[in-house]
């Protein structure tokens, strides 16, 4: 029963993740050079050019049910999802939308919330540091209290420095089993 519940949970999480990505669209935003040629600023996406800037925050359940025996996520797929998304964002900014400026943050929660990765620009040269910060998260943070994670994620997005002139899409992805 535990294996089926865990599998179903991750299928739901993967579906939610895919829906969040689809809602956010193509993840890139071209930048337009200004008269001086050195200042780049993002511009809004259009139908002809679907790229845009993205701020993404993962809120990851690190409560006891995720890691204590029998764990609901024995392979730490919740961590793998965040690491893989950082790689996807980096690739998209290189290939599909070369001027894209994506930022990502990771908040872990249990009884309390902790900012594992502050909102950080995702580029090939920052990828290793980003992955190290994501994978060094605490894995048993007590009970499940996602409200604290959402509060911290909202604060991180609200306090983020603006980047360029263009709008940014903001997405929060929650990965949880919902159990105490």
């Amino acid at each position: 029963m535990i294996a089926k519940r865990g599998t179903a949970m991750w299928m739901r999480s993967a579906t939610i993740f895919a829906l969040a990505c689809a809602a956010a669209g193509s993840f890139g935003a071209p930048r337009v050079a200004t008269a001086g040629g050195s200042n780049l600023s993002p511009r809004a996406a259009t139908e002809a050019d679907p790229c845009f800037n993205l701020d993404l925050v993962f809120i990851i359940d690190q409560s006891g049910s995720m890691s204590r025996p029998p764990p609901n996520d024995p392979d730490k797929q919740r961590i793998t999802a965040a690491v893989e998304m950082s790689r996807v964002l980096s690739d998209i900014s290189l290939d599909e939308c070369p001027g894209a400026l994506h930022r990502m943050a990771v908040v872990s929660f249990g009884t309390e919330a902790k900012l594992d990765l502050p909102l950080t620009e995702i580029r090939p040269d920052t990828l290793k540091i980003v992955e190290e910060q994501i994978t060094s998260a605490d894995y048993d943070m007590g009970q499940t209290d996602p409200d604290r994670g959402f509060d911290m994620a909202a604060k991180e997005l609200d306090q983020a420095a603006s980047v360029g002139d263009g709008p940014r899409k903001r997405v929060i992805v929650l990965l949880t089993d919902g159990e105490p």
Side-chain angles (χ1 to χ4, degrees), residues 107-118:
V107 173
S108 289
F109 75 92
T111 305
E112 299 294 325
K114 177 182 162 199
L115 185 63
D116 294 318
L117 175 68

Side-chain angles (χ1 to χ4, degrees), residues 19-177:
L19 291 172
C21 292
S26 175
F27 297 111
R31 297 182 197 172
V32 180
T34 60
S38 61
N39 294 329
L40 297 176
S41 62
R43 63 179 180 189
T46 65
E47 278 189 39
D49 183 4
C51 297
F52 55 84
N53 291 316
L54 176 69
D55 286 342
L56 172 65
V57 181
F58 274 92
I59 303 174
I60 301 177
D61 185 347
Q62 301 290 18
S63 65
S65 64
M66 299 296 275
S67 58
R68 286 187 210 138
N72 285 335
D73 183 19
D75 299 324
K76 296 183 176 63
Q77 293 178 28
R78 63 198 185 277
I79 303 301
T80 301
V83 168
E84 288 302 316
M85 190 62 193
S86 68
R87 292 175 184 164
V88 167
L89 291 174
S90 177
D91 288 347
I92 288 172
S93 68
L94 286 174
D95 300 331
E96 295 174 34
C97 299
L101 193 140
H102 306 305
R103 297 185 295 190
M104 188 170 122
V106 175
V107 173
S108 289
F109 75 92
T111 305
E112 299 294 325
K114 177 182 162 199
L115 185 63
D116 294 318
L117 175 68
L119 205 56
T120 302
E121 187 175 345
I122 304 299
R123 305 181 312 256
D125 62 316
T126 63
L127 211 47
K128 183 176 180 178
I129 293 167
V130 166
E131 290 178 9
E132 288 171 0
Q133 286 185 271
I134 294 170
T135 57
S136 67
D138 291 329
Y139 293 117
D140 187 350
M141 295 179 65
Q143 300 295 309
T144 304
D145 188 355
D147 289 344
R148 293 180 187 262
F150 276 106
D151 290 344
M152 186 168 282
K155 182 178 177 182
E156 186 67 11
L157 288 171
D158 289 344
Q159 294 179 351
S162 62
V163 179
D165 302 329
R168 302 188 64 75
K169 290 201 177 190
R170 296 163 47 165
V171 176
I172 294 176
V173 176
L174 172 66
L175 298 175
T176 183
D177 64 354

